[in-house]
Amino acid sequence: MGDGPRTLVIIPDKCVGCGTCKLACSMVKASGDAMRRTRIHIHNISRERYVQMTCLQCVDAACIKACDTGALMRNEATGAVELQENRCISCGLCEVACPFGHMHFNRATGKPEKCDLCSGDPACAKFCPHGALLYR
Amino acid sequence: MRISTIEQLDEQRRRFAALEQEIPWQVKVCSGSGCIAAGAAAVHDAFVKEMAAAGISASTSFEQCGGGTSLVAKTGCQGLCQAGPLVTVQPGGIVYTRVRTKDVPLIVTETLQKGVVLESLLYRNPNTGEPCRTREDIPFYVHQKFVALEGCGIVAADSLGHYLARGGFRALVHALAMDPIAIIDEVEKSGLRGKGGGGFPTGRKWRTCVNADGDERFIVCNGDEGDPGAFMDCALMEGDPFRIIEGMMIGGRAIGAKRGFIYVRHEYPRAVQRLQSAIDQCVDAGLLGTDILCSGFDFQLRIVRGGGAFVCGESSALMRSIEGFPGEPRSKYIRSTEKGLFNQPTVLNNVETFASIPAVIRDGAYAFASVGTGRSKGTKAFCLAGRVNHTGLVEVPMGMTLREVIFGIGGGVPNGRRFKAVQTGGPSGGCLGEAHLDLRVDFDELSAAGSMMGSGGMIVMDDYSCMVDVSRYFLKFLMGESCGKCVPCREGLFQLFEIVDGIARGNGTRKDLERIEKLGHAIALSSLCGLGKSGPNPVLSAIANFREEFEAHIVGRKCPAGVCRELTTFQIDPHRCTGCMKCRRVCPVNAISGEKKKPHHIDTALCTRCGACRLECDDEAIAVV
Amino acid sequence: MKITIDGKKVEAKRWDTVLTAARRAGIAIPSLCQLDSLENVGACRLCMVEVNHPHWRGAKLVTACEYPVESGLEVITTSEEVLRLRRANLDLLLARAPESRRLQQMSAEMGLEQSGYVRPDKGTACILCMLCTRVCEKLGCNAIAPAGRGLDKRIDTPFGGYPDTCIGCGACAAICPVDCIEMTDTAKTRTIWGRTFEFVKCAECGTPVITVEYRDYAIAHRSLPADYYNECSDCKRRKLAVKFAKVGG
Ligand SMILES: Cc1cc2nc3c(=O)[nH]c(=O)nc-3n(C[C@H](O)[C@H](O)[C@H](O)COP(=O)(O)O)c2cc1C
Ligand code: SF4
Ligand code: FES
């Protein structure tokens, strides 16, 4: 690998829809209504066809552009777009702006929730038993 | 008249001084708030009419007097408000009290035409019954020392000429000849401290402002005067507006400000009008504007009307308000002398502080500092109110004891009642008891005793006042005036009020006093501005000085002073009652029965505990049980 | 510049407040009304700390969120007195808004079981932290502002009337730490501050996305394509998943 940050690679072909990634994510990130609030989702496209979806950490991220307070910033070390809670004003525009539906605005906490690559050690990739999520 | 040089100023001064000498009679009708309320305006008009009718040539404008024409002037507060309307007749300095319009013809014919003093209108010494002709004879005045109030009630408030004749703008001329830093040195040496409440050394404040970086500097006069019952600043603005202007000009010169603002309380339209007229006269004469007296000094003044809230008098709120925002305080971790009005270095001083400045510069720092105590120099004006014989506006040398103020100047407590407490420092000051009467009027001594100098309210209470009730009253006031921005003040004062109210209603518990003290200290230490920081003062000092009274409410469920209705029962002492029927007549709910010359009786079930009967009874027959 | 916080030497920047410097150094100070992207107001007084300096005559109690650092400043964040003041203010807040989860959580952290004061019968649970008004101002709408003073102080629309400039974004309701701003969403509309807004509905499934006014605001004020605001997250995600599935074969 080069010097740049690693990326989370999604390999839908290998996904069997077992949900281990979701469980791992919920253990790390969600507290209350666990499964709904995971930052990774599994879409069952057709019988036996699963696609895992999580934030792509876009290079030209729409969420960053939607945020007027600089609360969303890229962590150069991990490559993840991260939320600075102390800057976020709860306007919720990032959720609507994400073209891929990866930003979840939690009304109860008033803050958006998104994948931050577990600060460089994504639990989903670590626990995927089928090699369908790779962090490299 | 145009005054462009110092020579021209001196010339005008000589002209007006000579003119004053020529005026046959000066009739000075006090037009302070108290006397106006008592009908002074009509008295003034009556003098104009009656003098004309009597063929005495008179004018209401000082400038048009002289050469046989007398003056009927409106002055600022002459001090003894309680005996208003006051009229002072010069020459002679005769002080007439309680002058009604019907008395005016007599004064004109007797005093002005025959030179006879009307004894019936003179003030009488309450102790000796002797009539007093002049200020020098009236005990109320003799113990006072006038510095800031020097001209208040003496000069015709609306006349630049009269101000000049009395030595006005001399200090400015001095100041213009001085190096600005030398002015600050002089003010600092004088020991003058701010009269608006905090007692911050004025010279030091000016110096930090001069040392701060900024594009422009501002000077602001705080005339918001929100303390209920206080009117020193009002009296000064109405009574000697030119003096405040002069003080501000000297300050402006010292700190390098070209623009000044006078922030006047919303409820003071007359002060606004007199100040505006004074400013206009100065502008017309060239005393405000550019290159004043050919010194290169430019200075403008503008009046801003207050936002109508007590907290607007707080310095940062006041500046916000001038900027056009709601008057809410902000943290002053960066001082307003560095970043104040419009983010520029700003000096804010109280009206009385500015009114003291001309004296400092004219007489010199040493003369000013010769009066006072170690760290409190000069004088302080107070509004003496409550249960004292002479209520009104007073100015006393620092270092005078409270006893001297209350009993010497104030003439003691009326109706032979006992002195109980004095509240100094306005609504957020403290309540001091008999044990503190020998405290001196001194910033630090008062603070050390749990009260403060404040801006100059002084309310005297007798033994018919209940300290629990008094604490509740002040808390209620402050709670209503809190701007509501910060939690300890908004929520904390409310909770303090609830606890004190509970005590007054007989629901107090033994733990309450400790709770009040704890919460009070938390409010004082964590509030944003001075309102919250000093808000718990009245109740904390009341508990410190009158603890037994609080305990009586809590433990004994009694209000010893007979004020808290839920804890009071009135009873007529049959041995003292003479059956004079006075109480029976005054009772609004007819709870008192009894025949003439026989002991009366109060029906406790009907009695609302208003206390009216007790105030009426001359024999102290109505007891609190 | 160097300052000391709880005995620890900490590097601080020129315009830092004590709070930002402490946070950067990983020292937690409770705060409620402060956000890095908003102007400080110093309303909650929960961030009280003690500051001192070798050149001063004595320590001061100040709010960390507002106090500017200076070289050599010594900060103590956990003295007896500081903790007592924070707890006293939290106690007062809790009396006003006992149901607030946020306050309950803070109370648990500060060892306060329940408020020792009566709940004021005047006013709502609003603790006047001014987050809502500042957020609204930050978005450029200024639809709400404080009115009145003391216990009567409240957050309201101008003169209590129709909020002309409100766009129904709901940020005020979301940021409120005591959940006292009423906002009602139905399948079609959102009602807040006495005004009802139509939702933009997801082009795919019809669930509400954002209010029409908020979408128009976003189009005007953000540099994103206008059609970015037309679908709900679930549909967007599903569409992408379908695309991925195709690419994957
Ligand atoms: C709640 C509050 C109200 C105040 N009201 C007044 C006022 O009415 N007049 C005044 O001169 N100062 C008032 N002050 C004091 C001012 O903040 C300020 O200290 C003063 O005007 C400075 O002038 P000085 O240095 O000449 O005293 C008030 C302070 C507080 C905290
Ligand atoms: S102490 Fe009171 S008046 Fe001052 S800012 Fe706080 S709430 Fe407002
Ligand atoms: S966070 Fe500092 S006062 Fe609220």
Side-chain angles (χ1 to χ4, degrees), chain B residues 310-311 314 316-317 327-331 478 481-491 493 523 526-535, chain C residues 41-43 45 150 153:
Chain B
F310 175 65
V311 76
E314 194 277 339
S316 61
E328 255 182 25
R330 24 175 196 190
S331 301
L478 292 166
E481 292 299 330
S482 157
C483 81
K485 180 172 179 174
C486 73
V487 170
C489 171
R490 181 186 73 238
E491 304 287 339
L493 291 179
I523 297 171
S526 61
S527 287
L528 193 158
C529 84
L531 198 158
K533 283 189 209 292
S534 56
Chain C
V41 291
R45 322 302 284 176
K153 192 169 188 164

Side-chain angles (χ1 to χ4, degrees), chain B residues 308-309 328 331 333 479-488 490-492 494-495 498 515 519 522 525-528, chain C residues 41-45 48 62-63 66-68 81 85 88-89 92-93 95-96 116-118 120 127-128 149-151 153:
Chain B
E328 255 182 25
S331 301
Y333 299 142
M479 193 171 94
E481 292 299 330
S482 157
C483 81
K485 180 172 179 174
C486 73
V487 170
R490 181 186 73 238
E491 304 287 339
F494 163 76
Q495 296 290 359
E498 285 291 302
R515 284 175 73 211
L519 177 57
L525 288 172
S526 61
S527 287
L528 193 158
Chain C
V41 291
C44 74
R45 322 302 284 176
M48 299 293 296
V62 301
T63 44
E66 294 180 295
Y67 200 82
E81 178 134 75
L85 293 182
N89 288 326
L92 292 168
L93 286 174
R96 164 117 353 237
Y117 301 109
V118 296
I127 55 167
L128 291 158
R149 63 168 184 255
L151 283 184
K153 192 169 188 164

Side-chain angles (χ1 to χ4, degrees), chain C residues 19 23 30-35 40-48 63-66:
Chain C
L19 187 67
R23 282 221 183 106
S31 72
L32 191 64
C33 67
Q34 184 272 353
L35 271 193
N40 287 320
V41 291
C44 74
R45 322 302 284 176
L46 295 179
C47 64
M48 299 293 296
T63 44
C65 68
E66 294 180 295

